[in-house]
Amino acid sequence: MNALDLIGVSVPNRLHDVSLTLAPGTLVGLVGPNGSGKSTLLQIAAGLLPGGGAVRWSDRPLGDIPVLDRGRAAAWVPQEAHFEFGFSVRSVVAQGRFAHGDDDRGIEQVLSRLDLLGLADRPVNRLSGGERHRVLLARALATEAPLQLWDEPLAALDVRHALEVLVLADEIKRAGRTLLLSLHDLRLAHCLDMVVILHEGRLRAAGLPTAVLTPALLREVFGVRAEIAPGLVLKLP
Amino acid sequence: MMPSPRASRIALPVTLLLLAGLMVASLGVGDLRLGPARIWAGLWHHDELAATILWQIRLPRLLVAMLVGAALAASGLVMQAYFRNSLASPGLLGVSSGGAAGAVVAIGAGWVSRSLLVLPAAAIAGALLATGAVLILARRGASTERLLLAGVALNALLGAVTSYVLSNFTLSYERNAQILFWLLGGLEDRTWEHGAIALPIVGAAALLWPLGRPMDLLSLGALEAQSLGVDVRRLRRWLLVLATVLTALATAVAGTVGFVGLIVPHVLRLLVGPEHRRLVPLSLIGGAAFVVACDLLGRAAGGLRVGIVTSLVGGPFFLWMLRRQA
C-alpha cells in the first residue's frame, strides 16, 4: 500500500504532469526555487486544489473519500499563519479533533510536544510568527492523520524549534506515518529519506538526498555552486 | 487579553435577564405607563385599557424589535466569520440596503397588496442581489478596505434606487415619511402582520445553531477548515443564504437598521471570546436586547426612530473599532 500517489497531476501555468509515490513511514522533503510549485503540489496532495490527474491516499482515490474522513486521513499545514480572531492556542489546536467529533483527545500532549503549554491560553492573533506556526503544526498533529503535508514548517522557526520539529518529524515517521514537507534549507536534507526537486512546475528529480542533491543539479535548478565545507553545525543538546 | 472563563459562563444568563428586563420596560413605557402588575393584568385581559395598548401596539412592536435585533446580530456574526473580518456586517456591506431596495420596489410596483409573502420575498431578492455583488467585488478573505469600499458603493447605489422609487411612486405627502422609514429604519406602527412576516427569522436562527463549530474553523481560513474535515463549499453556501435571509426579513419589517450586526457580535466577542458555539445564541439574544434597548431610548427621547438611535450609538463605535484596527 502507498501512503500517497500523485498521478500526472497538473495545474495550468503552475504544475505540469507530476507523478510521485510515497511509501508509509517515510519523511520526504520537497525542494525547489521560489515559484517552482511546491505549495501548489502540497495543496493538490491535500485535496484542497482542483487539478488534472489523480490523487490517492492509501490507494483510495480522493474523490471516494468523504470530506469528514479526509480530516482524519491527512493534515495540511499552510505556509502562512494568519488569524483574524483571538481564539486561544488550545482551542485552535483542538480544531484538529473536528473530524473526530471534537473529542479533545491528546491535545495536552501535542501542546507539550510543541512547547506550547505556556502559551495555551493566549490569543493566537497576539503570538509571534514562529509561535503561530508551531500552533498550526500542533493542530496538524492533533488530527493523528497518517499523512502529514507541511508547507514550509521550518521557515518561521528559530534554530532550536526547527531542530525540534525535525526530531518530531522523525518520530512521526518511525510511528509509520508519512510526511511530505517543503523546505528551503538544503543543509537539513540529510534528515530526510527522500528529496523531491521541483523546477518550473515539473518534477526534476526524486530519490535519496545524497543521490539527488548533486552539485550539477543544484547548479541547474537553483543556479548556485554547491561546495561541501566544514562550518557551524547546530544540534540539540 | 483573553475573556475570563467566568464571564463566558455567566454571559448567557445575564443576557437573558437583561432581555427580560428590557421586555418588561418596553411593554411598560409609553404615553400610558404600565407597571408590571398592570402589564400582567393586561396580558390576560383583566384590564381592558392595558390589554388594548399591549395587544394592539406594544407587543407587536416588541416582537418585531426582538426579531429584527436577533436577525441582524446573527447575520453580522455570520458575515464576519465568512469574510474573516470583524468589520463585515449587513449594514456596512450593503445587504440591508439591498433588502430595503427590494422591498421598496415591490411597494412601488403595487405588488404588496397581492400577498403577505411579496414583501419579504422582494426583500430577500434585493438582499441576495446585494450579497452577490459584494461577493464579486470583494472576494473571500478580502481586505477591510475592499470590503468597506464595496459596501460604500453598494449602499449609495441601492439607497438611490430606494429614493428614486419612493419619490416616483408614492404620493408626495407620505413620500418623505416613507423614504425615512426605509432608509433610517423604524418600529413605528408595527402590527402582528409584520411579526408574522419576520417570524421565519426563528427558523433561520434554528438552522444557524449547529453551524457554530464549523464557523470557528472557517473563520481561521477556508483551506484550513477544508483540510480539517469541514465541507467548506456547502457551509459557505448555507451561511450566505442564512445571513442574507436574516437581514432581508429584518429589513422587510423595519427598514435598514444599521450597526446592530457590527456592534453586538463584536462586544460579545470581547466578553466571551471568539467561539461561535457560544456566540450564535448570545448574538441572537444580545441582538434582540440591543434593538429593544435602542427602541426604548428612542421613545424616551421623544420618538426618535430606532435606526437613528442604533446609528448614533454605532457610528462612534465603528470609528473606535477602525482606530483600534489601524
Side-chain angles (χ1 to χ4, degrees), chain A residues 43 47-48 67-68 70-72 74-76 78 80 82-88 91-92 94-96 98-99 102 121-124 126 136 139 143, chain B residues 1-3 80-81 84-87 213-217 219-232 269 273-277 324-325:
Chain A
Q43 286 184 23
L48 301 174
V67 179
L68 194 66
R70 292 187 193 187
R72 288 189 290 262
W76 170 75
E80 295 202 359
H82 167 79
F83 298 109
E84 163 75 13
F85 299 107
F87 288 90
S88 72
S91 74
V92 173
Q95 291 183 353
F98 175 77
D102 284 318
D121 295 318
R122 291 260 296 274
V124 79
R126 303 276 169 81
L136 292 182
R139 182 170 70 179
T143 63
Chain B
M1 180 199 77
M2 279 306 275
Q80 287 156 24
R84 297 169 69 191
N85 194 318
S86 47
L87 289 175
R213 184 57 180 163
M215 273 164 77
D216 281 351
L217 278 76
S219 72
L220 290 182
L223 285 181
E224 286 94 321
Q226 177 90 32
S227 78
L228 291 166
V230 177
D231 190 341
V232 167
R269 207 179 279 120
E275 306 220 353
H276 290 87
R277 275 178 296 192
R324 244 174 67 112
Q325 264 213 345

Side-chain angles (χ1 to χ4, degrees), chain B residues 4 98 108 110-111 121 123 146 175 225 311:
Chain B
S4 75
W111 301 331
R146 266 187 91 92
R175 189 182 295 162
S311 298

Side-chain angles (χ1 to χ4, degrees), chain B residues 127-144:
Chain B
L128 275 175
L129 269 178
T131 307
V134 172
L135 279 184
I136 293 167
L137 289 168
R139 300 286 157 89
R140 297 156 199 163
S143 69
T144 303

Side-chain angles (χ1 to χ4, degrees), chain B residues 12 29 48 107 136 154 185 209 211 217 249 284 313 320 324:
Chain B
L12 194 65
V29 173
E48 274 319 309
I107 293 171
I136 293 167
L154 270 179
W209 208 277
L211 300 182
L217 278 76
L249 290 171
L284 289 164
V313 178
W320 171 77
R324 244 174 67 112

Side-chain angles (χ1 to χ4, degrees), chain A residues 168-180:
Chain A
L168 180 67
D170 195 59
E171 270 172 36
I172 293 170
K173 163 198 115 169
R174 285 177 199 285
R177 298 201 249 165
T178 308
L179 270 103
L180 177 60

